[in-house]
Amino acid sequence: MSSHDHPHDHPHDHLHGHSHGEPSEGWEAVEQADPRATGPSRRQLMKVTGVGATLAAASSFAGAAAASEGHGSSGHDHDHGSSRGRAWRSGDHHIHSEYSGEFDTATTPPRFFKGADAVYPIVTNAIMAKSFGLSWVMCTDHGGPTHSKVNLELAYPDLLKSRDLVPEVLQFWGMEFDAPAMDHHTLMIPRRNDEAQVLYELESRYNKRDAFPTDPARDTEAKMIEFLNYTQRMSYKPLVIAHHAARSASGLGVWGQDTPQEFRNNQDTAPDVYVGFEGAPGHQAGPLNGGARGGYGSYPTHGGYDQMTAIVGGLWDSLLGEGRKWWITATSDSHVHWTRGGSDFWPGEYSKTYVHARQDYSDIMEGLRTGRIFVTTGDLITGLDVTASSGRQTAAVGQTVTVTDRRDNDVDIEIRFRPLEGENGNGDRPEVNRVDLIVGEVTGPVTDRNTASNPTTQVVVRYGRSDFRRSGGEYVVRYTLRNVTEDCYIRVRGTSTDEMEPAADGLESPWQDLWFYSNPIFVKVR
């Protein structure tokens, strides 16, 4: 399906109050002191006066903020060999800086203006990410005509400065890729000395908005497949993850720019590159300013999650039912903080993607690639270990356990989750009210590639607070799948609410509607 983005395809263009030039000198956010905090409050917003002051303040501010490296790890190492040192490390792969700007195309070449869409310097985002406990982040600015040169010559040098000033937070390089014939995607580049040149090559050749004058041939499904074929053949492969996949949907199952068929085609082309979509999109603070969560104006999110993820037996389950290694993430999509009229939280303030990895660029990226991921909103939990065991085999999220003994084909499932110690970004102490275990059959490829349902998927058991068993700093529940004779997968979700299924969102506070989701474990029957 062909699609055409507007130059600013997001909920809050120009909220900073001007459309050209540098971000306004002297802008400042409201500072809310918290006397209980030992460093900068998790509810405190920074005062800065332009890029220079932000860079100057970075070291002292970041040093005072509490790093979360390894925070929330259960101490369980389900992987083998190279898994030493892995812990649950939270991050965000969808963050905008002032280099999400705009172009004056009346001149040749087009003239770029910073701060027309997102307003914060790269280092400000890194500082705030650290203050809210993130271990890794990624800068994902919008493209545009000749934006590949902006990234290479202007934004990348600022990223290098930010890495020096906030070394505790790993900062990936990439962009919000204007995918041919689709909505936006993360394009994450492996951390290497040539990372800037790699992004320049990919953006200048394949980003549908980079060509000047505009080239309609850039915005076709064939160009997207060409891009994915190229990346799949790369020695050091990037990652591509779809953003706000159903934001353009006009109803439940009525798709917009992104379709199930496109997802299947893309992953078939580049299975090591094209690995999933945002389960919980950014712009979650919309209701705090009277808007929709996620900017989903036509059809809402459910519990803050995209309908493609939130509906049990829906599109995500359809993809998993084919046996696809399809993962979900949660991001901020930070452009402008809600206290300045935007619809966004700071990176890590509300949404977190946890990856079981070492504090290492390559291992975090590999964790994203292979599904060692869980996601949460509002810091409902800080650790989630799900295991499935059959005989002597045990698998964790992203992995497969094989049932080999027909005389003993039960699968034992253990769910361990770690609640937040302290307060979240809203000053709350959230509690898990219920945990659901979801199981679906793996039946193989679908005939209709726009299929978006898996009727075998169901919630097999729900656990309330009285069912949780304390084990040190964690809570534990266990369940046995009896007499497993067909390939299947399991996944887990939990909530602070009493909703049996996440309801379609309205203007309720996002802080009162919190959910977490694991990625799947697959069960193979021989």
Side-chain angles (χ1 to χ4, degrees):
M1 183 190 74
S2 179
S3 64
H4 300 278
D5 288 351
H6 297 291
H8 302 287
D9 184 21
H10 25 70
H12 43 46
D13 292 344
H14 309 306
L15 283 171
H16 61 302
H18 60 99
S19 60
H20 292 284
E22 300 284 336
S24 300
E25 291 298 312
W27 67 260
E28 60 181 41
V30 178
E31 184 174 327
Q32 298 173 318
D34 184 347
R36 295 166 294 183
T38 57
S41 166
R42 292 170 72 92
R43 300 178 66 189
Q44 180 184 39
L45 303 181
M46 233 177 61
K47 285 184 177 181
V48 295
T49 53
V51 179
T54 306
L55 293 172
S59 295
S60 59
F61 189 93
S68 70
E69 181 176 333
H71 175 69
S73 170
S74 66
H76 290 239
D77 227 353
H78 300 300
D79 305 285
H80 303 286
S82 62
S83 65
R84 182 174 300 175
R86 284 182 179 158
W88 285 117
R89 303 184 193 275
S90 60
D92 185 340
H93 66 82
H94 188 177
I95 303 169
H96 290 264
S97 80
E98 62 191 344
Y99 291 105
S100 286
E102 68 177 11
F103 291 83
D104 178 2
T105 56
T107 65
T108 302
R111 187 180 178 192
F112 176 73
F113 296 91
K114 290 196 295 186
D117 177 23
V119 299
Y120 305 115
I122 291 172
V123 70
T124 299
N125 288 330
I127 290 167
M128 298 311 293
K130 183 179 178 186
S131 74
F132 286 106
L134 297 190
S135 296
W136 59 273
V137 296
M138 181 181 163
C139 186
T140 53
D141 284 314
H142 289 293
T146 71
H147 186 266
S148 53
K149 288 190 67 177
V150 173
N151 264 338
L152 181 66
E153 298 172 2
L154 300 177
Y156 185 67
D158 275 10
L159 176 78
L160 296 180
K161 293 175 187 175
S162 184
R163 283 174 174 170
D164 287 341
L165 289 164
V166 194
E168 299 86 353
V169 178
L170 302 184
Q171 299 174 54
F172 286 91
W173 184 230
M175 71 173 299
E176 181 165 51
F177 185 65
D178 297 299
M182 297 187 74
D183 207 337
H184 299 146
H185 286 62
T186 279
L187 173 55
M188 177 183 278
I189 305 300
R191 172 72 172 93
R192 293 174 55 80
N193 291 336
D194 63 350
E195 60 189 346
Q197 190 62 40
V198 169
L199 179 61
Y200 176 77
E201 179 181 2
L202 293 175
E203 183 177 5
S204 62
R205 289 180 61 180
Y206 295 111
N207 195 75
K208 70 183 176 187
R209 294 179 58 217
D210 198 73
F212 183 77
T214 301
D215 179 5
R218 289 286 194 103
D219 195 14
T220 65
E221 290 187 26
K223 180 61 70 171
M224 185 65 173
I225 296 301
E226 180 186 336
F227 160 72
L228 291 171
N229 269 316
Y230 183 87
T231 55
Q232 178 68 20
R233 293 193 301 266
M234 293 174 68
S235 298
Y236 296 92
K237 295 175 177 56
L239 280 176
V240 178
I241 299 170
H243 291 173
H244 41 70
R247 193 172 73 183
S248 58
S250 58
L252 183 62
V254 184
W255 311 121
Q257 290 178 283
D258 295 347
T259 67
Q261 176 173 295
E262 288 173 311
F263 291 141
R264 290 181 166 101
N265 291 347
N266 293 348
Q267 191 175 61
D268 287 351
T269 302
D272 300 322
V273 173
Y274 201 88
V275 297
F277 46 47
E278 290 175 333
H283 306 316
Q284 291 279 339
L288 301 180
N289 282 326
R293 288 174 83 170
Y296 280 48
S298 297
Y299 184 83
T301 52
H302 286 239
Y305 286 72
D306 189 296
Q307 62 163 296
M308 292 181 174
T309 293
I311 305 301
V312 172
L315 177 56
W316 187 27
D317 289 312
S318 179
L319 296 170
L320 298 179
E322 292 185 284
R324 292 181 182 274
K325 306 303 189 288
W326 191 272
W327 321 127
I328 64 165
T329 60
T331 68
S332 67
D333 198 356
S334 175
H335 287 67
V336 180
H337 197 268
W338 70 271
T339 56
R340 297 191 62 232
S343 58
D344 304 327
F345 292 109
W346 289 110
E349 184 180 5
Y350 183 75
S351 300
K352 287 182 169 70
T353 295
Y354 279 87
V355 180
H356 201 244
R358 295 180 290 277
Q359 186 67 354
D360 170 83
Y361 282 97
S362 61
D363 203 44
I364 287 172
M365 196 163 179
E366 195 60 21
L368 289 168
R369 198 184 307 276
T370 58
R372 301 194 306 264
I373 306 165
F374 78 86
V375 300
T376 189
T377 53
D379 288 312
L380 182 56
I381 59 173
T382 61
L384 177 63
D385 289 283
V386 184
T387 57
S389 301
S390 176
R392 296 182 179 180
Q393 291 192 63
T394 298
V397 292
Q399 299 178 338
T400 301
V401 64
T402 303
V403 176
T404 58
D405 189 347
R406 292 292 181 138
R407 295 166 298 177
D408 181 11
N409 54 357
D410 293 347
V411 176
D412 296 316
I413 299 166
E414 181 181 85
I415 304 165
R416 289 179 171 265
F417 64 91
R418 181 178 292 270
L420 176 68
E421 298 176 5
E423 298 178 346
N424 65 15
N426 197 46
D428 302 328
R429 295 177 179 269
E431 294 185 2
V432 178
N433 188 54
R434 196 186 71 252
V435 173
D436 297 334
L437 176 64
I438 300 167
V439 178
E441 292 182 12
V442 174
T443 56
V446 294
T447 302
D448 177 0
R449 291 177 72 80
N450 266 319
T451 297
S453 65
N454 183 345
T456 72
T457 307
Q458 59 183 318
V459 178
V460 298
V461 62
R462 302 183 192 268
Y463 292 105
R465 293 188 189 187
S466 62
D467 301 309
F468 305 158
R469 297 292 177 261
R470 191 86 187 195
S471 176
E474 300 172 314
Y475 289 101
V476 183
V477 293
R478 296 183 177 91
Y479 184 80
T480 298
L481 286 175
R482 301 291 184 187
N483 192 30
V484 178
T485 59
E486 303 292 338
D487 294 351
C488 62
Y489 62 90
I490 65 168
R491 59 183 183 88
V492 172
R493 72 178 179 192
T495 183
S496 65
T497 75
D498 58 4
E499 297 173 0
M500 291 297 98
E501 295 297 324
D505 294 325
L507 291 179
E508 72 278 4
S509 169
W511 294 106
Q512 306 308 313
D513 187 19
L514 306 181
W515 295 77
F516 68 80
Y517 285 70
S518 79
N519 272 283
I521 299 173
F522 292 90
V523 180
K524 182 73 174 176
V525 179
R526 283 186 179 172

